[in-house]
Every structure is written in structure tokens, then in C-alpha cells.
Amino acid sequence: MASHSPRVLSGLALNELIDELKGLPAPLPPFRSKQIFKWIARGAVSFEEMTDLDKALREDLGSRFLLRSTRVSSQLEDGDGTVKLQIDLFDGARIEAVLLSDAEERKTACISTQAGCPAGCVFCKTGSLGFSRNLDSAEIAEQFLHLKALAARNSPGAASGETGIANIVIMGMGEPLLNLAELRRALSFFFDAEGLGISRRRITLSTSGVIPGIRDLADNGPHIRLACSLTSAREELRNRLMPLAASNPLPQLKAALGYYQQKSGQRITLEAVLLGGINTGREDAAAMAGFAKGLDAVINLIPWNPVEGLQFEGAPLREPSRAELEGFAALLEKSGLKVTRRYRKGRGVAGACGQLGVVGKKDS
Ligand code: SF4
């Protein structure tokens, strides 16, 4: 993990911040740390904004700490209301975070947990970039703070909760369960009632199916909503589409998802990125229905969002036709499964699912 100097305060849980500020030559009492924590959660970018601290303290803190470690380098807006932020990290790595709006103007923040991704899913731009490094808790938390500021600028006075953002989805760049320790710290920052006070039920983590991570989350929490990207329930095809799947076999994956369900008491989502001509056939639907049997699951179908240059075994990938999508959905529904289709958002700025890592605004 790369480290910052001076120390960055964003993304610290309140107890961590209290400990940090207790260690100063003139230790701060917990109530002062709590004031500072509230300012950070509110989105303060400088100690000068913390007007309930005296000037000398603000200057002292400013000489010792940073409030933020990341910087928004560009903002790309799609006509459908999606906004993608490109965010520079202190060591030159770049990540992306996305603000989505639904038909009711409810906003969802999509955040990243790694720079690049080691999972290598063939249909995903991030996967094609390779892996740079894990993000630390500040870098994860700051994405939300940047998106929250953006949401406030775009709809001042909008009343959809204190943050202006209804949900957080951990579905951006990276495999979140391969960076669970830092993600947990960022989640503690999100949850704290002294700060953002975001409910666990409003946060969804999407994994490509990392079994040890699912079991760790089941045993040690937090029990946020879980989505698992299955894409194919035919083991051999899944391993070719999602190389990390080879170390997370389907029977054990199903057992781990059942265990999470049992521990958390929650319905889970199984996601399938539909690739035209590859995983949309009758046998694919039958395998998926078989996998879902016995789980309390919703199946979310995601028609592949085009990324130039991505191929599967030498042939360019293509979007599923409407007939493929609806035919696949109908077969699952016939098996008694609840099926949803993910609304295509953010394609104009390459901010849709599987497109993150594309630099620049597309022409169409
Ligand atoms: S789909 Fe998710 S897990 Fe797979 S390569 Fe892309 S970011 Fe990584």
C-alpha cells in the first residue's frame, strides 16, 4: 500500500481520528476530534473552514495533516444525467467514480476500490488495464465526498437524504473483496452517525465472486447488500470469461453466497453481463437458474456496454440483441426467478458498467 506524508485525515473512522489527535504534543480532547470529524464528513477541504476551532489550532492542524489526498482532474457529463469524475491520486495513479441519477432524480454514487483490477474479466475495460494498487480508506472515502459535493452543486436544495445521494454502489474499478481491510475502514467512516450516518442497507458491494472475501464479510461484517457477478453459471465458460473464477469454483461460491445470506438475512443479487452470442443461450439460462435455486436471489441482467478493442478468444465482443436479452430473461422468469435489467446509463462518457478506465469523452 502506498503511503502519504503528511498524514491524511479523510476516511478515518471517528475512533481512529480521536486516537490520531490524542497523539499530538498538545493532545486534543475527543469532543474536538468529533468536531473535526463532522467537518470532514460535511466535505471541508481546508482547516480554515472549521470555524468552531480557534485560529491557532486550525493553523497547527494544517501544518501537520492533510484533509484530502485526491484531486478531481476532470468531470465528464452525459446527457442522461450521469457524471463521471476522473480522480488523481497522490502517486499519479488515476481512478474513476460515477454519479448516476434515476428517473426520480435519486442519485447513486458508484465508487472504486482499486486502481486497475487484477481480476481480468474479458468484457471489462478496467480488467484490460491490469492492476496498479489497492486504494486506501481515504482514497475510497474521498470519492464519495467528491460525488457528494457534485450532487449538491447539481441540485441545490434537493431533498433526498442528508447527503443528497440515496445509495452507494461499490462497483467501480477493482474487485472490492481483494481490498476488504481498507474498504471496511472507509465503510466505518460512511456509517458513523456523527458524520455521514449512511445506512448499511443503502450500500451494495459487487464482487466477481471471491469466496474468502464473501465468507469474511459474512463472519465479520459489515452486512451491506451483496451482489455477485456470475455472468455464466457454466463453470468452464465462466473461467474463460473471468479468469479469477478459476480459483472460486461455482459449487463453493454458491455455498459462500448461501452462508452470507444466512448470516446477513439479506436477499442477494446475481449479476450477469450478457455478451451477444456467448452466454445468452438456452443452456446458459438453465445453468443460471440451477445456480440460483435454493438462494434468495434476484438476477440482474446487464447488457454488455461496448468497449472498443475488447475481444473474447480472438473475436470482438458484441452487445446482445434485444431478442437475446429478452429470450434469456424469459427463460429465467419461467423458472420462477425474479429478473431485473440494468438501465443503460453513462455510456456517452464511458461511465457505464464495465467501461471505467476509458480516458476522455466519447464522440457518440
Ligand atoms: S468486472 Fe469488476 S472484477 Fe472484473 S475486471 Fe472489471 S472491475 Fe475487475
Side-chain angles (χ1 to χ4, degrees), residues 13-199:
L14 178 56
N15 60 335
E16 292 177 313
L17 186 68
I18 289 173
D19 285 348
E20 181 75 35
L21 300 179
K22 256 193 217 158
L24 292 175
L28 287 193
F31 85 92
R32 280 271 175 249
S33 299
K34 212 179 268 189
Q35 284 175 306
I36 294 166
F37 183 78
K38 286 182 180 183
W39 278 109
I40 293 170
R42 231 179 276 162
V45 294
S46 85
F47 289 100
E48 279 313 297
E49 292 173 56
M50 302 183 183
T51 47
D52 49 3
L53 308 182
D54 68 49
K55 196 166 186 300
L57 176 58
R58 294 199 305 255
E59 283 174 1
D60 184 49
L61 291 170
S63 69
R64 295 172 189 278
F65 301 107
L66 287 176
L67 281 177
R68 296 278 178 97
S69 64
T70 66
R71 190 180 68 83
V72 175
S73 54
S74 70
Q75 176 177 326
L76 304 167
E77 301 194 19
D78 198 352
D80 66 8
T82 304
V83 186
K84 179 169 84 170
L85 298 181
Q86 294 183 325
I87 297 171
D88 288 345
L89 310 184
F90 77 101
D91 60 355
R94 176 175 282 187
I95 55 167
E96 296 183 329
V98 182
L99 187 66
L100 300 136
S101 301
D102 67 12
E104 280 85 47
E105 296 280 309
R106 269 187 318 232
K107 293 191 166 46
T108 295
C110 176
I111 60 178
S112 299
T113 50
Q114 297 181 312
C117 182
C121 304
V122 300
F123 46 83
C124 171
K125 178 69 185 178
T126 308
S128 75
L129 297 175
F131 176 60
S132 297
R133 68 172 172 86
N134 281 332
L135 304 187
D136 65 22
S137 65
E139 291 164 335
I140 297 170
E142 285 177 33
Q143 292 171 66
F144 180 77
L145 296 174
H146 289 306
L147 293 172
K148 175 173 168 280
L150 173 70
R153 282 199 300 276
N154 282 4
S155 41
S160 56
E162 202 195 322
T163 64
I165 295 178
N167 297 297
I168 298 177
V169 292
I170 305 161
M171 298 185 182
M173 301 169 78
E175 166 48 65
L177 293 182
L178 294 180
N179 188 17
L180 188 50
E182 289 300 307
L183 174 60
R184 267 202 183 104
R185 294 177 68 211
L187 289 171
S188 300
F189 172 74
F190 293 151
F191 294 149
D192 201 305
E194 296 287 346
L196 294 165
I198 297 170
S199 151

Side-chain angles (χ1 to χ4, degrees), residues 3 28 43 58 73 87 105 115 117 144 170 178 192 224 265 269-270 282 299 311 321 338 351 354 359 361:
S3 65
L28 287 193
R58 294 199 305 255
S73 54
I87 297 171
E105 296 280 309
C117 182
F144 180 77
I170 305 161
L178 294 180
D192 201 305
I224 52 180
T269 301
L270 299 176
R282 188 166 282 275
I299 301 195
Q311 297 191 340
S321 66
K338 183 167 164 40
V359 177
K361 187 170 168 67

Side-chain angles (χ1 to χ4, degrees), residues 343-361:
Y343 193 46
R344 296 170 176 187
K345 284 278 195 176
R347 281 182 169 199
V349 291
C353 181
Q355 292 184 316
L356 297 187
V358 180
V359 177
K361 187 170 168 67

Side-chain angles (χ1 to χ4, degrees), residues 162-356:
E162 202 195 322
T163 64
I165 295 178
N167 297 297
I168 298 177
V169 292
I170 305 161
M171 298 185 182
M173 301 169 78
E175 166 48 65
L177 293 182
L178 294 180
N179 188 17
L180 188 50
E182 289 300 307
L183 174 60
R184 267 202 183 104
R185 294 177 68 211
L187 289 171
S188 300
F189 172 74
F190 293 151
F191 294 149
D192 201 305
E194 296 287 346
L196 294 165
I198 297 170
S199 151
R200 274 151 225 256
R201 291 190 311 279
R202 291 167 54 201
I203 302 183
T204 303
L205 178 152
S206 175
T207 176
S208 61
V210 178
I211 294 168
I214 295 169
R215 290 195 169 271
D216 185 340
L217 205 59
D219 287 331
N220 305 307
H223 289 158
I224 52 180
R225 291 188 186 278
L226 185 66
C228 178
S229 176
L230 207 54
T231 293
S232 175
R234 292 165 62 201
E235 188 95 69
E236 182 268 339
L237 176 60
R238 185 166 195 266
N239 293 348
R240 282 152 61 209
L241 291 168
M242 303 171 74
L244 197 63
S247 45
N248 296 284
L250 285 170
Q252 287 91 324
L253 176 58
K254 181 169 176 176
L257 293 171
Y259 184 62
Y260 189 79
Q261 197 143 65
Q262 178 202 329
K263 289 285 213 174
S264 67
Q266 288 176 24
R267 171 175 277 187
I268 53 165
T269 301
L270 299 176
E271 297 168 322
V273 175
L274 293 187
L275 305 157
I278 294 177
N279 63 348
T280 56
R282 188 166 282 275
E283 65 279 31
D284 299 290
M288 191 151 294
F291 185 90
K293 198 169 173 198
L295 294 171
D296 179 14
V298 175
I299 301 195
N300 188 10
L301 302 181
I302 308 165
W304 180 66
N305 290 301
V307 178
E308 218 176 288
L310 290 193
Q311 297 191 340
F312 177 52
E313 298 175 349
L317 292 172
R318 71 162 171 84
E319 294 176 68
S321 66
R322 179 150 290 269
E324 283 175 309
L325 169 64
E326 292 308 329
F328 192 79
L331 287 168
L332 293 175
E333 281 162 346
K334 225 163 118 186
S335 315
L337 292 164
K338 183 167 164 40
V339 178
T340 58
R341 295 128 177 98
R342 185 171 303 170
Y343 193 46
R344 296 170 176 187
K345 284 278 195 176
R347 281 182 169 199
V349 291
C353 181
Q355 292 184 316
L356 297 187

